[in-house]
Amino acid sequence: MEVKTISLALLAILFITVLELVRREKLTFKYAFAWLLFSALGIAAAVYPPWVYALAALAGFKLPSNFLFSGLLCALVFLSLLLTVFLCQQSRRNDRMAQKIGLLALEIDELKGNRPGPDPRS
């Protein structure tokens, strides 16, 4: 089997898997976009390799394989950074939600008479 065929098959499987995860609502498009973009670029590189050679030469790489490996490394670092940003945003949302739930629970307890509320005379 040729390397080009294997690459196309693996990238197509990745692309279809990500689309299927989005369709089943196990992955939001916001998170899937980068995966779809990189797999589409990989498919384009496998279908039309001369542009990979040209980009590698333009970037100063002697071998296109080194260019692809460094590009892949950069893509994975970018995805890790992107996912870390999303994780931090979600953590902040969870903290705010926990605080709001705590305040609502306190208010419910006060309305039920389980806890005394603030003294209105003070």
Side-chain angles (χ1 to χ4, degrees):
M1 227 182 195
E2 198 175 310
V3 172
K4 180 178 178 178
T5 308
I6 294 170
S7 300
L8 278 172
L10 290 175
L11 289 164
I13 288 170
L14 174 65
F15 193 84
I16 292 168
T17 302
V18 171
L19 285 178
E20 185 63 21
L21 288 171
V22 170
R23 188 185 71 78
R24 290 185 182 180
E25 297 179 1
K26 293 189 183 262
L27 184 64
T28 62
F29 187 74
K30 176 171 104 172
Y31 299 107
F33 180 74
W35 288 108
L36 292 172
L37 176 69
F38 290 130
S39 62
L41 286 173
I43 290 170
V47 169
Y48 191 68
W51 73 270
V52 175
Y53 287 95
L55 285 175
L58 186 66
F61 287 89
K62 301 250 185 234
L63 295 172
S65 59
N66 291 344
F67 173 70
L68 289 175
F69 282 126
S70 65
L72 180 63
L73 180 65
C74 289
L76 291 175
V77 167
F78 173 74
L79 285 174
S80 295
L81 178 64
L82 188 67
L83 292 174
T84 302
V85 168
F86 291 148
L87 181 67
C88 289
Q89 289 173 349
Q90 191 65 36
S91 178
R92 270 189 241 118
R93 282 188 212 118
N94 285 346
D95 289 344
R96 281 193 303 257
M97 188 66 64
Q99 290 171 354
K100 288 179 181 180
I101 289 172
L103 289 172
L104 287 172
L106 180 65
E107 190 175 324
I108 289 171
D109 284 346
E110 288 173 0
L111 290 173
K112 285 182 176 179
N114 295 343
R115 286 189 188 166
D119 190 8
R121 294 175 279 172
S122 55

